[in-house]
Amino acid sequence: GFIQMDLMMRSLAPLCFAGLTGCAAVGVIATDDPWQQLENAQAMIEQNRPGPAERFIEQALAECQKQGDSLCTAAAYREYGIFFLWATPEWHIYDDRFGFSDKEATYANRYEMAAKYFLMSEKLYAQSSKFDAVTNVALNLGFTYEAQKNRTAACQAFDASLQANKENLRLNPTAKIELPEKYGNYQNYISIRKQHAGCAAVNAEG
């Protein structure tokens, strides 16, 4: 399943300078399978190692597109969104010295790039009626807009995530979503996220 990613809860491994500059990815599975490459990329992101992470995403994306697999491509776009959304302040070192593979990207516009990839992912997942994945991508898009202090867009993305979850439950009544027990259900979780983002104020202004 798709694990909901709350930026306030995650922690990162200590910075490894060699990791930033792109040393070999130790502890990941060598593979040509794009799905495994995306798992490898996630591991590298969580270890604060942008060089290996981006290479794994690029390799996975190229293979997904070569195979003409839209769901695989959507997953790769999603991972690229996560890559930019989770970028830590140290990543400007990597950007300054090497630059990102996507030449539009800089550390300064990382949230813009995250939104770009999440929107591309969301479109492909929606076309395939993968509403569980749309739920997750829209949620992360909400986090991205919130980080940009774009409150209106964040609130709309959180609403879209809730609607996608409802559609997924309509199509798959036994579907379960992974949430900490304290939230109870996804609607409560989104309500809390919207309060945190100041959505009530947006509604009042509107």
Side-chain angles (χ1 to χ4, degrees), residues 27-29 31 33-47 53 56-57 60 75 79:
V28 298
I29 300 171
T31 180
D33 176 11
W35 296 99
Q36 183 59 55
Q37 288 171 335
L38 293 177
E39 288 189 25
N40 290 349
Q42 183 64 35
M44 293 297 96
I45 292 169
E46 292 175 5
Q47 293 177 33
F56 280 126
I57 294 169
E79 195 63 31

Side-chain angles (χ1 to χ4, degrees), residues 165-176:
N165 182 58
K166 289 179 178 178
E167 182 64 11
N168 185 51
L169 289 174
R170 186 184 71 81
L171 296 173
N172 307 285
T174 60
K176 301 289 184 183

Side-chain angles (χ1 to χ4, degrees), residues 19-122:
L20 279 177
T21 56
C23 61
V26 177
V28 298
I29 300 171
T31 180
D32 292 326
D33 176 11
W35 296 99
Q36 183 59 55
Q37 288 171 335
L38 293 177
E39 288 189 25
N40 290 349
Q42 183 64 35
M44 293 297 96
I45 292 169
E46 292 175 5
Q47 293 177 33
N48 210 15
R49 299 176 64 190
E54 191 173 24
R55 285 199 297 277
F56 280 126
I57 294 169
E58 283 192 307
Q59 290 166 9
L61 181 58
E63 185 60 29
C64 295
Q65 292 175 334
K66 179 182 176 182
Q67 295 175 7
D69 187 334
S70 62
L71 292 180
C72 181
T73 300
Y77 286 152
R78 174 187 173 276
E79 195 63 31
Y80 227 154
I82 293 295
F83 174 85
F84 287 111
L85 177 59
W86 286 24
T88 66
E90 296 90 353
W91 288 28
H92 76 84
I93 300 171
Y94 178 80
D95 182 27
D96 288 346
R97 293 194 173 201
F98 304 100
F100 296 109
S101 295
D102 185 328
K103 297 309 177 187
E104 292 181 32
T106 64
Y107 179 76
N109 75 355
R110 63 196 182 280
Y111 295 134
E112 179 183 335
M113 298 304 299
K116 166 188 166 180
Y117 282 106
F118 284 140
L119 287 168
M120 292 165 65
S121 175
E122 183 180 48

Side-chain angles (χ1 to χ4, degrees), residues 138 152-165 190 194 199 203:
T152 299
C155 298
Q156 290 172 347
F158 290 139
D159 282 338
S161 178
L162 181 60
Q163 287 306 120
N165 182 58
I190 289 296
K194 288 178 68 176
C199 295
N203 292 337

